[in-house]
C-alpha cells in the first residue's frame, strides 16, 4: 500500500524498498513548536513563495493557549507567516485542536494522499489509508517551498488482524500490545501495514489510535486497508477524489505478524518505554496521583464516551487529579451535547481546552517528583510529563477512567463488575 | 572531513525528550537549547563536553518526538558526531538536514568506552579508537546525502535546484 502511494506521488509506475525518491505532497503540517524553526529556515533561505498545490497547515496546539511569553512569541511568528502567505489552513485558539485529531476531522487528508508533518505523530493518518509520516522542521521548510520531499522507500511489516476485541479492549490496547511484542524499534525504518478480516472490528477511532502510535515501534508509517469503515468516515469530509490503494496479493513483506484481537488484554505500558507492557490486571499495587484522558492518541469522541461510561455516577478517588482533554472544539461541543462534560465534572474531573498540554510536559498537568500518572497519551519517557522522578503509565481511556475511580491501575471490570 | 574528540557514552533508546526536554522548546535559540542538552539523564553533560567530542550510544538513538531542537542542541553543544548502533528515522533525517554528522556502527558502539579518544574519517566511514588502538568500519553516507551536505544542507541544496 505504502509503496503504491509513494510511486503515484513520485510519478513512477512502481518503487521498491530502499529506493530513493522525490514525492509530491498533498499536505505539509507544522505546530507551534516545530513551525517557528521551519519558518526561520524558510526565511533564512530567502524563499518568497509557498508551494501552491500542497495544503500547508499550521496548528497552534502544543503550548497553546499560550503557556508563557515564549510560547506566545512562537504562535505570533506562525500567525504572521500564515498571514503573509494567506494560508487558508491556519488554526489558532478557538479553531485549533490537537493537530492529528483536527486534520482527519476536517477532511484535510484522504485515503491515497501523501503527507509529512513536523510532528512525529503525523503517522496517524495511515488510519485512513493515506501515507503520512513525521519529519523535522527543516524538511517541513523545504516542503513548504517545493511541495515535495525525498523518501527512502520503506519495506513493510504486515500485521494480519483476526478475531474480535474483548469487552473494554480498544485500539490503544491493540497498539500497546503490538509494541510490547516487537519493541520500540521493532519496525525501525519500516511500514506497518494493517489488514485482515479483524479490521471490521476496529472502528476509525481505534485505527487512528493504532496508526498514531506506529512511531512508538519506530515505524515510518502505519497504514490500514481502505474499507467500508473508511468510506463511511470520509463521507461529507472532503470533496476531493481520493484513491483507495490496495496491497497486491503477492506483495512482499519483510515480516508478517498475526494478531488475534480476542487474545489482547487491556494493556498498560509501565515506565519508561511504551514496550514495557503488562495486562492492566497486574497494576493493582500501583497507586496513582493523576489521570489524563486526551491527546492526539485518545482525544476522540469515542475515547470520551469510553471514559464517560465508566465515570457516570461515580467519583474519582479523593486526592487524585482527573484531567480530561477533548482533542478538538467539535469533540468538546459533542461532550457537552452528549452530557459527558457533566459526567466528568460530577465525577471530580476537570475538562480542559483542547491542547497537547501535559502529554509532552508542556502545561495543564505537570507531575512533581515521585508522582505517578495513568495517561492515555503516547510516551512514558523519563521526564516526559514533568519531573524526571515522575512516572507515566500509558493506557486506554477505559483503563484510565477506571484507575481514576480506584486510585490504582485498574481493569475496567474492577469498577464495572463485568 | 574528519572529527576528533573524546567519547561520551550513553545506552539504548535515548529519546528526544531527554536530549532536550519539552519545557525548553519554546525557544529556537541554539545556545539556550545546548545549555539544557541531555540534562534529564546526565546533568554533568553540559559541564564536561569539549568542542569536538563524540557521542556514542546504542540502538534507536533519537527516538520519540520529531523535535529538530534535539540535533540542534547536540550540535550546538559542540558534539562533532554521534555514533550509534541505529538511529530513529526522524532524528536521522533531522541530523543530516541540519548538518550534524551521524554514523551507524555496531562495533564502535560496543567497543568505545567513555573517555576514549576517537578520530573519524567521514569520507571512508573509518572510526579509529586511539586509546584502545582499534578501528571500526562504519557505512559512509550515500552519495546523495554527501551531495546535500556538500551544498550546505537541505535548504541550500533545494535553493540551488530552484534556480
Amino acid at each position: 500500500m505504502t509503496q503504491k502511494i509513494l510511486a503515484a506521488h513520485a510519478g513512477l509506475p512502481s518503487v521498491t524498498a530502499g529506493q530513493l525518491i522525490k514525492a509530491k505532497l498533498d499536505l505539509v503540517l507544522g505546530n507551534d513548536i516545530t513551525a517557528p524553526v521551519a519558518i526561520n529556515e524558510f526565511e533564512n533561505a530567502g524563499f518568497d513563495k509557498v508551494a501552491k498545490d500542497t495544503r500547508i497547515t499550521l496548528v497552534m496546539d502544543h503550548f497553546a493557549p499560550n503557556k508563557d511569553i515564549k510560547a506566545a512569541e512562537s504562535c505570533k511568528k506562525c500567525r504572521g507567516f500564515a498571514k503573509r502567505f494567506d494560508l487558508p489552513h491556519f488554526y489558532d485558539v478557538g479553531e485549533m485542536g490537537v493537530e492529528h485529531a483536527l486534520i482527519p476531522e476536517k477532511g484535510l487528508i484522504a485515503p491515497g494522499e501523501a503527507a509529512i508533518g513536523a510532528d512525529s505523530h503525523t503517522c496517524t493518518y495511515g488510519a485512513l489509508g493515506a501515507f503520512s509520516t513525521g519529519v523535522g522542521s527543516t524538511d517541513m521548510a523545504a516542503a513548504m517551498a517545493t511541495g515535495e520531499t525525498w523518501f527512502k522507500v520503506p519495506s513493510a511489516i504486515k500485521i494480519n488482524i483476526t478475531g474480535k476485541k474483548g469487552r473494554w479492549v480498544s485500539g490503544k490496547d491493540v497498539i500497546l500490545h503490538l509494541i510490547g511484542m516487537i519493541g520500540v524499534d521493532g519496525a525501525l525504518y519500516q511500514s506497518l501495514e494493517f489488514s485482515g478480516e479483524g479490521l471490521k472490528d476496529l472502528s476509525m477511532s481505534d485505527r487512528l489510535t493504532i496508526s498514531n502510535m506506529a512511531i512508538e515501534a519506530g515505524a515510518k508509517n502505519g497504514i490500514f486497508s481502505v474499507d467500508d469503515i473508511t468510506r463511511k468516515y470520509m463521507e461529507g469530509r472532503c470533496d476531493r477524489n481520493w484513491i483507495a490503494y490496495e496491497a497486491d496479493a503477492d506483495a512482499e513483506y519483510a515480516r508478517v505478524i498475526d494478531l488475534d484481537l480476542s487474545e489482547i488484554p487491556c494493556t498498560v505500558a509501565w515506565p519508561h518505554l511504551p514496550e514495557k507492557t503488562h495486562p492492566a490486571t497486574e497494576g493493582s499495587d500501583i497507586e496513582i496521583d493523576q489521570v489524563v484522558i486526551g491527546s492526539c492518541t485518545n482525544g476522540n469522541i469515542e475515547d470520551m464516551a469510553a471514559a464517560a461510561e465508566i465515570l457516570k455516577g461515580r467519583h474519582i478517588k479523593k486526592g487524585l487529579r482527573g484531567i480530561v482533554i477533548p482533542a478538538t472544539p467539535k469533540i468538546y461541543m459533542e461532550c457537552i451535547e452528549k452530557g459527558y462534560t457533566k459526567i466528568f465534572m460530577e465525577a471530580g474531573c476537570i475538562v480542559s481546552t483542547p491542547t497537547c498540554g501535559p502529554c509532552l510536559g508542556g502545561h495543564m498537568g505537570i507531575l512533581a517528583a515521585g508522582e505517578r500518572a495513568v495517561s492515555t497519551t503516547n510516551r512514558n519517557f523519563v521526564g516526559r510529563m514533568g519531573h524526571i522522578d515522575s512516572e507515566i503509565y500509558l493506557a486506554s481511556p477505559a483503563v484510565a477512567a477506571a484507575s481514576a475511580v480506584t486510585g490504582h491501575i485498574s481493569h475496567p471490570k474492577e469498577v464495572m463488575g463485568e | 572531513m574528519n572529527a576528533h574528540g573524546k567519547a561520551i557514552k550513553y545506552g539504548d533508546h535515548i529519546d528526544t525528550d531527554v536530549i532536550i526536554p519539552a519545557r525548553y522548546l519554546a525557544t529556537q535559540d541554539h545556545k539556550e537549547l545546548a545549555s539544557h542538552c541531555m540534562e534529564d539523564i546526565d546533568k554533568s553533560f553540559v559541564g564536561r563536553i569539549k568542542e569536538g567530542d563524540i557521542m556514542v550510544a546504542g540502538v534507536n538513538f533519537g527516538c520519540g518526538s520529531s523535535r529538530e531542537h534535539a540535533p540542534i542542541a547536540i550540535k550546538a553543544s559542540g558534539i562533532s558526531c554521534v555514533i550509534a548502533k541505529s538511529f530513529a528515522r526522524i532524528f536521522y533525517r533531522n541530523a543530516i538536514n541540519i548538518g550534524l554528522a551521524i554514523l551507524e556502527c555496531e562495533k564502535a558502539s560496543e567497543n568505545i568506552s567513555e573517555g576514549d579518544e576517537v578520530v573519524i574519517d567521514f569520507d571512508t566511514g573509518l572510526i579509529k579508537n586511539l586509546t584502545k588502538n582499534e578501528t571500526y568500519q562504519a557505512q559512509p553516507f550515500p552519495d546523495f546525502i554527501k551531495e546535500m551536505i556538500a551544498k550546505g544542507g537541505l535548504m541550500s541544496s533545494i535553493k540551488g535546484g530552484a534556480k
Side-chain angles (χ1 to χ4, degrees), chain A residues 20 32-34 36-38 40-42 44-47 63 67-68 70-71 74 77 117-120 133-139 141-143 145-146 149-152 184-185 188-190 215-216 218-221 272-273 275 360-362 379 381-384 386 388, chain B residues 12-18 21-30 32-33 39-43 59-61 63-69 72 85-94 96-98 104 142-145 148 153-163:
Chain A
L20 290 162
D32 52 316
I33 289 179
T34 60
V37 179
N40 288 347
E41 289 287 336
F42 184 94
N44 290 343
F47 287 107
F63 291 165
K67 79 182 179 94
D68 55 25
K70 282 179 178 170
S74 294
K77 186 184 274 276
D119 188 280
S120 60
T133 192
V135 296
S137 297
T138 300
D139 276 319
T146 64
T149 197
W150 67 269
F151 292 115
K152 192 171 178 183
V184 292
D185 58 351
L188 196 58
Y189 306 128
Q190 295 179 301
I215 176 74
E216 261 55 70
K220 184 168 203 154
N221 67 321
H272 290 286
L273 281 176
E275 70 184 23
L360 76 161
R379 293 192 175 124
F381 301 152
V382 170
R384 171 85 176 173
I388 56 170
Chain B
D12 293 338
H13 308 300
I14 298 299
D15 62 79
T16 54
D17 274 89
V18 296
R23 58 185 179 275
Y24 303 121
L25 294 186
T27 182
Q28 295 102 45
D29 182 78
H30 293 195
E32 194 179 336
L33 290 168
E39 75 175 30
D40 278 2
I41 50 161
D42 180 6
K43 284 208 163 36
V59 299
N60 203 25
F61 185 89
C63 60
S65 160
S66 66
R67 58 189 70 161
E68 206 159 291
H69 312 64
I72 289 171
K85 284 185 186 171
S86 63
F87 291 90
R89 58 160 284 279
I90 303 175
F91 185 92
Y92 189 90
R93 279 184 88 106
N94 288 349
I96 290 165
N97 286 342
I98 67 144
E104 282 188 341
D143 287 344
F144 89 103
I145 289 177
M148 203 190 285
L154 177 65
M155 292 309 283
S156 317
S157 70
I158 60 159
K159 245 199 121 192
K163 273 177 189 167

Side-chain angles (χ1 to χ4, degrees), chain A residues 14-353:
Chain A
S14 66
V15 295
T16 51
Q19 189 177 345
L20 290 162
I21 57 159
K22 233 179 208 180
K24 288 205 179 317
L25 299 166
D26 300 295
L27 172 82
V28 172
L29 167 71
N31 58 52
D32 52 316
I33 289 179
T34 60
V37 179
I39 292 167
N40 288 347
E41 289 287 336
F42 184 94
E43 289 175 347
N44 290 343
F47 287 107
D48 55 8
K49 282 194 192 81
V50 294
K52 263 197 208 153
D53 302 325
T54 301
R55 292 183 293 284
I56 296 168
T57 305
L58 303 179
V59 185
M60 304 298 98
D61 59 355
H62 276 60
F63 291 165
N66 307 328
K67 79 182 179 94
D68 55 25
I69 294 168
K70 282 179 178 170
E73 294 292 342
S74 294
C75 287
K76 187 178 166 187
K77 186 184 274 276
C78 297
R79 209 172 286 128
F81 185 80
K83 202 172 168 191
R84 178 180 167 202
F85 293 107
D86 200 19
L87 301 180
H89 304 295
F90 173 70
Y91 298 95
D92 211 336
V93 173
E95 289 183 303
M96 73 82 171
V98 179
E99 52 194 336
H100 308 306
L102 190 76
I103 281 163
E105 179 187 288
K106 291 202 172 287
L108 290 170
I109 187 79
E113 293 187 335
I116 61 166
D119 188 280
S120 60
H121 292 108
T122 304
C123 51
T124 307
Y125 323 134
L128 303 175
F131 171 80
S132 64
T133 192
V135 296
S137 297
T138 300
D139 276 319
M140 180 197 171
M144 287 198 295
T146 64
E148 55 184 35
T149 197
W150 67 269
F151 292 115
K152 192 171 178 183
V153 177
S155 62
I157 299 176
K158 180 180 182 172
I159 310 295
N160 182 37
I161 298 182
T162 57
K164 282 187 124 180
K165 303 189 301 284
R167 177 79 171 122
W168 303 116
V169 173
S170 70
K172 184 61 160 288
D173 304 291
V174 175
I175 189 64
L176 286 175
H177 182 80
L178 178 64
I179 295 165
M181 283 169 71
I182 67 175
V184 292
D185 58 351
L188 196 58
Y189 306 128
Q190 295 179 301
S191 286
L192 289 172
E193 304 210 352
F194 299 93
S195 58
E197 50 96 6
L199 248 56
K200 58 182 182 290
D201 193 47
L202 294 174
S203 69
M204 188 48 70
S205 186
D206 287 327
R207 296 178 191 191
L208 287 162
T209 303
I210 291 169
S211 290
N212 174 274
M213 287 188 69
I215 176 74
E216 261 55 70
K220 184 168 203 154
N221 67 321
I223 190 167
F224 277 79
S225 299
V226 172
D227 62 6
D228 288 345
I229 291 172
T230 325
R231 289 184 193 94
K232 186 148 187 291
Y233 181 85
M234 289 310 296
E235 269 172 29
R237 282 184 205 271
C238 89
D239 48 18
R240 301 185 301 281
N241 288 320
W242 51 262
I243 303 167
Y245 291 93
E246 278 175 39
D248 293 330
D250 61 349
E252 278 182 29
Y253 296 98
R255 187 177 172 191
V256 177
I257 296 170
D258 292 314
L259 210 55
D260 181 349
L261 295 177
S262 68
E263 289 178 1
I264 297 175
C266 281
T267 302
V268 177
W270 264 223
H272 290 286
L273 281 176
E275 70 184 23
K276 297 194 170 172
T277 52
H278 295 254
T281 46
E282 289 178 10
S284 56
D285 294 337
I286 298 168
E287 293 191 4
I288 55 175
D289 304 284
Q290 178 168 299
V291 164
V292 175
I293 300 173
S295 83
C296 61
T297 312
N298 280 125
N300 277 315
I301 194 67
E302 257 185 48
D303 300 315
M304 299 294 122
E309 184 181 356
I310 289 170
L311 292 172
K312 189 175 185 181
R314 295 187 172 82
H315 203 281
I316 63 171
K317 194 172 181 200
K318 180 78 182 155
L320 184 140
R321 287 109 55 191
I323 301 166
V324 182
I325 313 176
T328 68
K330 183 168 182 280
I331 298 164
Y332 200 103
M333 284 290 278
E334 275 185 78
C335 282
I336 293 171
E337 286 161 10
K338 292 183 170 170
Y340 300 160
T341 303
K342 191 159 185 268
I343 291 169
F344 296 143
M345 295 192 72
E346 283 178 350
C349 295
I350 200 65
V351 182
S352 155
T353 170

Side-chain angles (χ1 to χ4, degrees), chain B residues 6-163:
Chain B
K6 288 204 164 145
I8 296 182
K9 222 166 161 200
Y10 296 107
D12 293 338
H13 308 300
I14 298 299
D15 62 79
T16 54
D17 274 89
V18 296
I19 295 171
I20 183 74
R23 58 185 179 275
Y24 303 121
L25 294 186
T27 182
Q28 295 102 45
D29 182 78
H30 293 195
K31 280 190 181 146
E32 194 179 336
L33 290 168
S35 72
H36 299 293
C37 190
M38 311 305 288
E39 75 175 30
D40 278 2
I41 50 161
D42 180 6
K43 284 208 163 36
S44 71
F45 173 79
V46 171
R48 73 193 153 106
I49 166 122
K50 297 222 165 48
E51 187 73 32
D53 280 354
I54 291 157
M55 200 179 268
V56 183
V59 299
N60 203 25
F61 185 89
C63 60
S65 160
S66 66
R67 58 189 70 161
E68 206 159 291
H69 312 64
I72 289 171
I74 292 173
K75 190 183 176 198
S77 70
I79 290 286
S80 61
C81 180
V82 184
I83 300 170
K85 284 185 186 171
S86 63
F87 291 90
R89 58 160 284 279
I90 303 175
F91 185 92
Y92 189 90
R93 279 184 88 106
N94 288 349
I96 290 165
N97 286 342
I98 67 144
L100 170 68
I102 53 175
L103 286 175
E104 282 188 341
C105 183
E106 200 163 323
K107 276 204 167 144
S109 166
E110 276 169 9
N111 293 307
I112 295 173
S113 307
E114 174 82 26
D116 283 359
E117 194 179 348
V118 176
V119 174
I120 302 167
D121 181 335
F122 291 112
D123 287 331
T124 60
L126 199 69
I127 302 167
K128 280 187 194 164
N129 184 336
L130 302 182
T131 307
K132 293 197 171 121
N133 197 23
E134 293 173 347
T135 57
Y136 325 103
Q137 183 65 52
Q139 194 78 3
F141 288 129
D143 287 344
F144 89 103
I145 289 177
K146 275 186 188 161
E147 270 172 42
M148 203 190 285
I149 293 170
K151 284 179 186 166
L154 177 65
M155 292 309 283
S156 317
S157 70
I158 60 159
K159 245 199 121 192
K163 273 177 189 167

